[in-house]
Amino acid sequence: MIKLYEKQSYLRECEAVVTDCFTKDGSLYVRLDRTILFPEEGGQYADLGELVYGDNNLVRVLGGELTDKSGSDIIYRVDKEVPLGEVRCILDWDLRYERMQNHSGEHVLTGTIHNEFGYDNVGFHLSDDGPVTLDMNGVLTWEEVMEMERKANEIIYNNLPITDSYPASGELANMSYRSKIEIEGQVRLITIGDKDNPVDVCACCAPHVKTTGEIGIIKVISMVNWKGGVRISMLAGRRALRYINDRFDIIRNVTERLTTSFDNAPEIIDGYKKEIGESKVLINKAYVSLAEAVCKFSDKPFIFFDSDCPLSAMKNILSALINITDGYAGVFVGEDGSYRYMIGSKYKDSRIVASLLKEKLDARGGGKIDSIQGQVAACKDDIEKVLAGL
Ligand SMILES: [Zn+2]
């Protein structure tokens, strides 16, 4: 098995020979004599592609995996049986290129953090529908990671070469390089920058872009504390541009709705939030006054029904009504037939009312001696009948 992807990561097609086709766990697999398709390895998914044989017969390659730790044998999952013999192997290049941009971007960012803080990358995952995650074994602040992002992007602007090498074990012992895991057999090193004065050297098996300029951009999206260090989520290249453009559209949409500029949007939103907060307080106060006025002239117990009252006002209304009666007071908010309720009393046991509502109207809810709350699917007349005489 010749791994062409190691030395020729830009090869999109190659001739190969299918040497084996077999079934494993209900799926079809093939072995090739040479390959441009990277298998699932080191936190990165397998390349996708096609095999074409004979008179344009097309077989899709759905995955690839190593059969043992030595990495010398790869089997590819395919959607159809393939006859042994010559095939044309075609790589899903767009997917691979985005992965190369993101994988190489991860090297640059991790290398930058390693050089500045001495932290190591202890976990890596390259997802296709989310960001790349990298786990560093030390803590950073958001300001520090933003500074690392800025420095990593400077390495992109400098358009440094990214090269691979296969040093002999004696030579390797004297070299300084990053490695996520203990590697069996030949170590492949990925060097960024001048070989005599590199910005990063890391052991890695995956395909990378040729120069840092091709990474395009590195954007850190989030950072969370993770097992004593941090998990950083980032995107690079085309994926980063798509992500940034999607967010840019959201912000532009928001500023258009606010009829303001980008710069003024936070201040305008703060102003609206303040106004909404003040309005809520006023509305709640108005509902408390309304409930008091209605109940003062009604029979006991004091029960206030309303369809539009905000739920946030219920507690204030209940407190006000409890203060003007020795008996029970209550608030029912909702459409007739479906209410949320709160009931309480200064001197009486509210839990008695909860039991009564449950027994007569199949209400849900409960609470403590001084107040209960819940929901009831009943009309106002039936509720009033049950509560009458309490
Ligand atoms: Zn790599």
Side-chain angles (χ1 to χ4, degrees), residues 103-104 106-107 180 190 202-208:
H103 191 120
S104 306
E106 182 271 329
H107 278 245
K180 293 186 199 78
I190 302 299
C202 181
C204 184
C205 53
H208 305 82

Side-chain angles (χ1 to χ4, degrees), residues 132-311:
V132 176
T133 60
L134 44 118
D135 303 336
M136 304 303 297
N137 63 355
V139 179
L140 295 168
T141 64
W142 183 250
E143 290 70 29
E144 284 167 342
V145 82
M146 286 295 99
E147 177 61 11
M148 294 302 99
E149 179 194 278
R150 191 192 64 72
K151 287 196 170 186
N153 279 294
E154 287 296 329
I155 293 170
I156 292 177
Y157 311 148
N158 290 336
N159 203 22
L160 303 177
I162 302 178
T163 49
D164 63 346
S165 59
Y166 300 81
S169 54
E171 196 186 340
L172 201 63
N174 299 319
M175 291 180 76
S176 164
Y177 64 96
R178 298 189 293 112
S179 177
K180 293 186 199 78
I181 46 165
E182 284 295 316
I183 299 160
E184 290 177 20
Q186 176 67 63
V187 172
R188 177 176 183 246
L189 291 183
I190 302 299
T191 301
I192 300 177
D194 184 60
K195 281 209 182 299
D196 296 326
N197 187 23
V199 296
D200 185 51
V201 183
C202 181
C204 184
C205 53
H208 305 82
V209 290
K210 272 188 225 153
T211 61
T212 58
E214 283 188 68
I215 297 166
I217 182 172
I218 290 172
K219 182 76 204 99
V220 171
I221 289 162
S222 67
M223 183 174 70
V224 293
N225 290 332
W226 185 261
K227 294 183 177 173
V230 285
R231 168 166 285 184
I232 296 168
S233 298
M234 59 152 277
L235 284 171
R238 241 186 245 142
R239 290 181 183 174
L241 181 63
R242 279 201 297 272
Y243 180 91
I244 293 164
N245 277 343
D246 286 350
R247 269 69 190 168
F248 184 85
D249 282 347
I250 293 168
I251 298 168
R252 204 183 49 174
N253 195 305
V254 168
T255 56
E256 277 174 10
R257 285 170 195 218
L258 294 170
T259 57
T260 188
S261 65
F262 277 36
D263 292 344
N264 291 335
E267 204 179 314
I268 301 251
I269 289 169
D270 284 347
Y272 281 138
K273 278 172 79 175
K274 192 163 170 264
E275 266 180 43
I276 290 166
E278 288 167 355
S279 302
K280 268 188 180 171
V281 171
L282 283 176
I283 290 168
N284 284 8
K285 273 188 184 169
Y287 266 103
V288 168
S289 303
L290 177 66
E292 281 174 333
V294 168
C295 290
K296 268 180 189 166
F297 298 102
S298 72
D299 296 331
K300 285 183 181 173
F302 287 170
I303 306 294
F304 178 69
F305 284 87
D306 198 274
S307 58
D308 301 321
C309 173
L311 297 176

Side-chain angles (χ1 to χ4, degrees), residues 77-134:
R77 192 158 60 84
V78 287
D79 71 339
K80 285 192 214 94
E81 210 165 316
V82 195
L84 303 190
E86 286 181 6
V87 289
R88 184 146 196 83
C89 181
I90 303 166
L91 169 67
D92 180 340
W93 171 249
D94 287 346
L95 177 66
R96 156 71 86 74
Y97 192 66
E98 289 186 3
R99 287 175 177 176
M100 291 191 341
Q101 283 183 315
N102 279 272
H103 191 120
S104 306
E106 182 271 329
H107 278 245
V108 173
L109 182 63
T110 301
T112 306
I113 295 170
H114 179 78
N115 293 343
E116 295 282 330
F117 291 89
Y119 299 159
D120 287 313
N121 181 334
V122 290
F124 165 72
H125 183 69
L126 202 165
S127 151
D128 290 316
D129 47 13
V132 176
T133 60
L134 44 118

